[in-house]
Amino acid sequence: MSINNPNVENTETSALVADLEHLTTTLIAIKAKKGPATPEAKDRVRYNALRHGFTGQVLIMTPEEREKFDAFTKGMMTDLAPAGTHETFLANSIAEEAWRLNQIRARCVNLSAVGDFEGAGDKYTPMEGIENAVIDSVVARDQSKELALMSIYAQRTQRAYEKYKKDLKELQANRKANEEAEQEEARLLFQLADTQGLAYDPRKDGFVFSLHQIRVRTERHHKLILAKRTERDYRERNNLTEITKAAGKAAY
């Protein structure tokens, strides 16, 4: 046994040390490795990442695609105008799902284009004017599995898009309704203080609006009241009432 044989024990220890050194060297090499070395291998890795762009939670794409994606997302976020973390999450999710829908549609169209390039309908020698229909039919037959997957992805993506859009719409409607109610309360409390000759501090009532914002809202509120009161006189003075009546009769 190795307990009674120092030479055997030394040999085993040396082998263990050698294994540890080899393992350490390997781990260092793996850590230092940055990825594919050749340009061809790098291109394969860049474009392979696109294969799971429809189902993966993390969007992986080429730098060129990323630039287009960022521009698209920025436009969507501007249009949706989210406020706060929750709304921003939903708006960003809508943008990502919309991007996926565009990608899926483009992939389906590209399948027909590839079929044209590869001469999918050549052996059928179609009559003039129906080449595209033949190519589409051949692609639909030969790429049925790919098209079926694209259809499934599209349906899932469309459902997610509609859900996120519905959630955002409800969230924004609730937020705007709450803001409107709070602004109206602030306006009434400001008017009360103003009629009593007192200074008004909206922060004491728990409002985040500035005094300037409340003043502007109050002025607009009374301008609208005045505008509604003078609307009838304005219409009569400019003969708009008769014009409206005449337009109504002409419509029948």
Side-chain angles (χ1 to χ4, degrees):
M1 296 178 64
S2 60
I3 296 178
N4 300 322
N5 192 336
N7 293 329
V8 173
E9 182 176 356
N10 291 336
T11 301
E12 292 178 351
T13 303
S14 299
L16 178 61
V17 171
D19 288 342
L20 290 174
E21 290 178 348
H22 176 71
L23 179 60
T24 301
T25 303
T26 302
L27 291 174
I28 292 174
I30 293 174
K31 186 176 180 180
K33 189 176 181 180
K34 300 299 182 181
T38 65
E40 294 79 6
K42 290 180 179 179
D43 285 339
R44 284 198 300 271
V45 171
R46 290 171 65 215
Y47 287 95
N48 285 344
L50 292 174
R51 292 180 182 173
H52 304 290
F54 301 139
T55 57
Q57 293 182 348
V58 178
L59 294 177
I60 304 174
M61 56 191 70
T62 65
E64 295 81 5
E65 284 291 306
R66 185 74 199 189
E67 183 178 353
K68 296 176 182 178
F69 172 78
D70 289 342
F72 178 84
T73 303
K74 183 178 180 181
M76 290 285 287
M77 295 294 282
T78 300
D79 292 343
L80 296 171
T85 304
H86 195 178
E87 288 187 17
T88 299
F89 162 76
L90 291 173
N92 190 69
S93 298
I94 292 171
E96 289 183 358
E97 299 301 339
W99 173 266
R100 288 192 182 98
L101 280 174
N102 287 337
Q103 294 294 89
I104 292 170
R105 291 166 183 167
R107 184 70 60 85
C108 292
V109 172
N110 291 341
L111 284 175
S112 294
V114 170
D116 189 13
F117 294 148
E118 294 179 348
D122 289 352
K123 64 181 179 179
Y124 294 92
T125 61
M127 296 174 61
E128 184 178 356
I130 64 171
E131 290 88 348
N132 291 337
V134 171
I135 291 172
D136 290 342
S137 298
V138 173
V139 169
R141 184 198 64 190
D142 297 343
Q143 302 291 337
S144 59
K145 183 177 179 180
E146 180 74 10
L147 291 171
L149 286 174
M150 292 299 102
S151 177
I152 293 173
Y153 292 150
Q155 293 176 38
R156 292 175 180 173
T157 303
Q158 184 68 41
R159 287 196 296 268
Y161 173 83
E162 296 296 340
K163 181 183 183 302
Y164 288 133
K165 187 169 69 171
K166 178 177 178 291
D167 291 347
L168 178 62
K169 184 177 180 180
E170 292 178 354
L171 193 64
Q172 289 182 325
N174 291 335
R175 170 176 59 82
K176 291 176 181 179
N178 292 334
E179 289 178 354
E180 177 66 22
E182 289 183 357
Q183 289 178 6
E184 182 61 13
E185 289 180 7
R187 182 188 70 80
L188 292 173
L189 292 172
F190 166 74
Q191 285 186 179
L192 175 63
D194 193 45
T195 56
Q196 295 175 344
L198 301 175
Y200 181 67
D201 185 357
R203 292 175 299 178
K204 292 183 179 180
D205 289 321
F207 297 117
V208 296
F209 317 114
S210 66
L211 185 59
H212 175 72
Q213 288 176 306
I214 299 174
R215 286 183 182 275
V216 170
R217 180 181 176 86
T218 303
E219 291 175 2
R220 183 173 182 271
H221 173 80
H222 290 286
K223 284 181 181 179
L224 286 174
I225 293 176
L226 182 60
K228 291 177 181 178
R229 288 177 180 175
T230 59
E231 182 179 13
R232 184 173 182 177
D233 294 339
Y234 180 84
R235 293 176 63 84
E236 291 178 353
R237 184 168 63 250
N238 292 277
N239 199 30
L240 296 178
T241 302
E242 297 301 324
I243 294 175
T244 303
K245 290 180 179 179
K249 292 179 180 179
Y252 287 101

